Amino acid sequence: MTNNIIEVQNVTMCFNLVQEQFSGLKDLVIMASRGKLKFNKFFALKNIDLQIKRGEAWGIIGRNGSGKSTLLKLISGIYAPTKGKIKVRGSIAPLIELGAGFDMELTARENIFLNGAVLGYSREFMKNNFAEIVAFAELEQFADVPIKNFSSGMVARLGFSIATMVKADILIIDEILAVGDAVFQEKCYKRMRKMMDNGTTVLLVSHNIADVKKICQKVLWLDHGQMKMIGDVQNICNSYENI
Amino acid sequence: MSKINIIEMYKYRFLLKELVTRDLKIKYRRSFLGYLWSLMNPLLMMWILTLVFSYVFRFDIPNYPLYLIIGQTIFGFFSESTSMAMMSVIENAALLKKVYVPKYIFPISRVLSSFVTMIFSLMAIFIVMKATGVPFKITLLALPLSLFFVLLFSVGVGMFIAAITVYLRDMMHLYSVVLTAWSFLTPIFYPISIVPQNIRWILQYNPLYYFIDYFRQIVLYDTLPSLHTTVFCFELSIAAVIIGGIVFKKLQKNYLLYI
């Protein structure tokens, strides 16, 4: 068995953006039959190759719209690539980002159980870990409040707390540390360190280069959907900061 | 591939359970009578329809209330579950966009939660049986079979309609019309005998007619449906699941780009 927990082989992701506005089925049919319906192809990612070994921490950097989140979604299995192959050998914690994978109508408590179930954990398992999840997120008072009433920092804290509680092999973090306050960020780092020591693989998207330097050993720099640089954290972060 | 699906389904059994409980919770949230409504609703409907049809139209059906409530319960389940399944993928967009979940789990969970509600409604049927003096016989043990057929059939139709609706939102508006037409083409409140001979063939192509008839044979006419009928009903429901499953699977690759 190979040591690579994630293998991304020559992956291209292409979205069709519908160019012409149409107001209904009738227009759609008319335009399609006249050949007027044009799709504007947008390549979110082009020919990405990436091998991630078990236990590594990778940072993914690049400007807005460079394809970072798309890459994470491909790895999570949320999108299917247009071309190429992706292999993941391990479980993935829910992709956490702002306004995470929660049902806004449900309370924090219900969302914890729902998210646990998404990862294949039973109600009993989640019950046993419930107190710890809520305590880490510092949301004891708000366990029965619907998520829609939470502040963005609270949502982010809950998301991080759930994702790191369940013992997934791969932890994917998309711009989440930016919302928490300094104290909570410090707590997150500590917990991530601990998880990494236990062999969890981490993928981190961040615009904060200091964060990336702090956590990751390797970095992928994306630019307009293409790989600009890949390798050790120091070199790449330095050149990224110098543009 | 099918082997993988079964393993995957097993892994996601907790999620399925969680989704079903969520639906049930949301359905009766903030109503005073809660789950009792699953029982009251069919009884009240039956009462009204029986009143209407005993004064306005007169059908020569023995034990009309029971005849009516059976048709109503089965069709009601089918119509509710598939309508809910139709929106299931779209409404769970938030979850689908953040984490990989097998997408078929959403229409299936919706149909299942609707099925649980229907099980409550069965109580209403038993009450009507009791009230109209229909004896409870051993043939009733065949009842789960007929429920199983409707369940499978609804899962199949639910997956089909959910897949189409992701791409063609017009389905949301069209489907309620389809359901109304379908309900009139199903002998829910009228006997088959009033359907003119020249259009009776339509009923032959209506799977729900067979399922409802199966149920009525057991409860109302106190007979066990023949093996031939049973196999036929089973084939119908399995065919629905296979067709719905294939269509859903074919279309699911690009769901994310449309929700």
Side-chain angles (χ1 to χ4, degrees):
Chain A
M1 200 179 125
T2 94
N3 223 1
N4 292 337
I5 191 163
I6 299 170
E7 276 177 35
V8 177
Q9 291 164 359
N10 199 20
V11 160
T12 296
M13 186 70 196
C14 170
F15 293 104
N16 287 326
L17 307 176
V18 179
Q19 197 68 3
E20 294 236 19
Q21 288 293 320
F22 57 89
S23 54
L25 197 60
K26 193 177 129 200
D27 280 5
L28 180 71
V29 171
I30 291 170
M31 272 157 47
S33 61
R34 286 181 186 162
K36 267 191 176 173
L37 192 67
K38 285 205 183 81
F39 286 110
N40 197 10
K41 289 203 165 181
F42 170 71
F43 286 91
L45 287 173
K46 268 186 195 163
N47 309 323
I48 304 294
D49 269 297
L50 182 64
Q51 271 87 38
I52 296 179
K53 291 199 174 64
R54 206 169 281 275
E56 282 181 338
W58 277 75
I60 300 171
I61 56 174
R63 299 195 48 202
N64 289 143
S66 58
K68 302 182 298 291
S69 296
T70 306
L71 181 60
L72 293 187
K73 286 188 173 173
L74 282 164
I75 291 174
S76 307
I78 295 169
Y79 290 154
T82 315
K83 261 191 268 171
K85 261 190 192 168
I86 292 173
K87 276 184 201 156
V88 177
R89 301 184 180 87
S91 59
I92 302 180
L95 180 59
I96 35 181
E97 57 182 1
L98 292 176
F102 294 126
D103 190 326
M104 290 292 158
E105 292 297 319
L106 296 179
T107 66
R109 183 187 303 277
E110 288 161 334
N111 267 302
I112 288 175
F113 287 116
L114 187 65
N115 267 276
V118 165
L119 288 168
Y121 288 101
S122 69
R123 194 160 255 275
E124 278 62 45
F125 178 89
M126 295 309 287
K127 254 184 199 157
N128 293 336
N129 289 284
F130 181 80
E132 203 182 331
I133 292 173
V134 176
F136 186 86
E138 297 164 25
L139 291 171
E140 289 95 336
Q141 281 174 280
F142 307 103
D144 293 305
V145 176
I147 303 263
K148 60 182 172 188
N149 299 333
F150 278 22
S151 75
S152 55
M154 286 157 85
V155 175
R157 261 150 48 194
L158 184 63
F160 186 87
S161 185
I162 294 174
T164 51
M165 173 57 60
V166 291
K167 307 281 181 285
D169 301 324
I170 302 164
L171 180 64
I172 294 179
I173 297 167
D174 191 355
E175 273 302 328
I176 194 166
L177 299 172
V179 267
D181 53 38
V183 181
F184 188 73
Q185 282 187 19
E186 204 43 54
K187 252 168 102 177
C188 291
Y189 291 133
K190 265 193 198 149
R191 178 169 269 198
M192 282 164 65
R193 280 270 145 63
K194 212 174 139 198
M195 289 178 71
M196 282 155 63
D197 290 343
N198 290 330
T200 302
T201 309
V202 174
L203 286 181
L204 172 74
V205 163
S206 183
H207 290 293
N208 186 347
I209 296 301
D211 282 352
V212 176
K213 279 181 179 167
K214 214 166 170 182
I215 296 165
C216 309
Q217 303 115 37
K218 299 275 183 89
V219 172
L220 169 65
W221 177 3
L222 289 175
D223 187 51
H224 292 99
Q226 300 191 340
M227 288 168 42
K228 186 140 183 172
M229 285 179 90
I230 183 168
D232 285 325
V233 66
Q234 216 58 37
N235 294 336
I236 296 177
C237 284
N238 289 343
S239 10
Y240 183 72
E241 278 170 320
N242 289 333
I243 51 167
Chain B
M1 194 62 211
S2 63
K3 199 176 153 195
I4 299 171
N5 273 344
I6 289 167
I7 296 170
E8 193 179 58
M9 264 181 117
Y10 185 71
K11 186 190 164 196
Y12 284 98
R13 67 196 183 283
F14 299 121
L15 179 61
L16 194 59
K17 202 174 135 194
E18 210 63 40
L19 289 173
V20 171
T21 12
R22 179 180 76 173
D23 284 345
L24 291 177
K25 251 186 215 159
I26 289 174
K27 185 167 183 184
Y28 293 115
R29 185 169 276 181
R30 295 197 187 166
S31 69
F32 288 111
L33 294 179
Y35 291 110
L36 261 184
W37 274 116
S38 304
L39 183 65
M40 306 259 297
N41 216 319
L43 283 177
L44 290 173
M45 284 293 268
M46 179 205 70
W47 182 58
I48 291 169
L49 288 175
T50 310
L51 279 182
V52 169
F53 287 113
S54 349
Y55 288 106
V56 186
F57 311 99
R58 282 177 175 275
F59 299 126
D60 191 19
I61 299 175
N63 202 345
Y64 188 63
L66 189 55
Y67 183 91
L68 188 66
I69 199 172
I70 291 173
Q72 222 182 274
T73 307
I74 301 280
F75 193 86
F77 161 66
F78 171 76
S79 123
E80 189 197 66
S81 64
T82 49
S83 310
M84 278 179 21
M86 174 171 70
M87 300 304 294
S88 62
V89 177
I90 296 168
E91 282 173 359
N92 283 293
L95 198 59
L96 281 169
K97 281 180 180 167
K98 307 291 168 175
V99 57
Y100 171 79
V101 194
K103 297 172 188 68
Y104 55 80
I105 209 160
F106 295 109
I108 291 179
S109 75
R110 287 280 170 92
V111 174
L112 279 181
S113 58
S114 196
F115 189 73
V116 173
T117 323
M118 190 198 44
I119 298 293
F120 283 111
S121 308
L122 283 185
M123 292 286 288
I125 293 182
F126 292 143
I127 290 172
V128 175
M129 279 175 74
K130 186 87 187 141
T132 54
V134 175
F136 289 76
K137 290 212 178 126
I138 192 88
T139 43
L140 278 183
L141 289 178
L143 213 54
L145 212 53
S146 72
L147 298 179
F148 180 64
F149 296 146
V150 199
L151 174 64
L152 282 187
F153 183 73
S154 304
V155 166
V157 175
M159 288 205 285
F160 180 83
I161 202 93
I164 303 289
T165 310
V166 172
Y167 296 97
L168 201 62
R169 297 293 163 100
D170 307 61
M171 270 325 260
M172 296 194 288
H173 311 288
L174 187 62
Y175 191 58
S176 59
V177 181
V178 170
L179 277 177
T180 308
W182 201 333
S183 78
F184 282 113
L185 291 174
T186 312
I188 296 170
F189 56 84
Y190 58 83
I192 306 140
S193 54
I194 69 151
V195 181
Q197 280 295 346
N198 54 340
I199 58 162
R200 204 175 278 184
W201 58 270
I202 296 176
L203 290 182
Q204 286 185 338
Y205 291 97
N206 181 359
L208 286 174
Y209 159 64
Y210 296 101
F211 301 141
I212 292 176
D213 194 51
Y214 198 92
F215 198 112
R216 279 179 185 152
Q217 278 189 41
I218 297 170
V219 174
L220 204 55
Y221 309 127
D222 192 21
T223 48
L224 269 183
S226 67
L227 184 67
H228 178 258
T229 318
T230 309
V231 171
F232 180 66
C233 282
F234 187 63
E235 284 169 354
L236 273 179
S237 48
I238 284 289
V241 171
I242 292 173
I243 294 172
I246 289 174
V247 170
F248 193 84
K249 201 175 163 181
K250 276 251 148 67
L251 295 180
Q252 71 177 354
K253 201 183 150 197
N254 287 326
Y255 279 176
L256 259 292
L257 310 177
Y258 289 86
I259 53 178

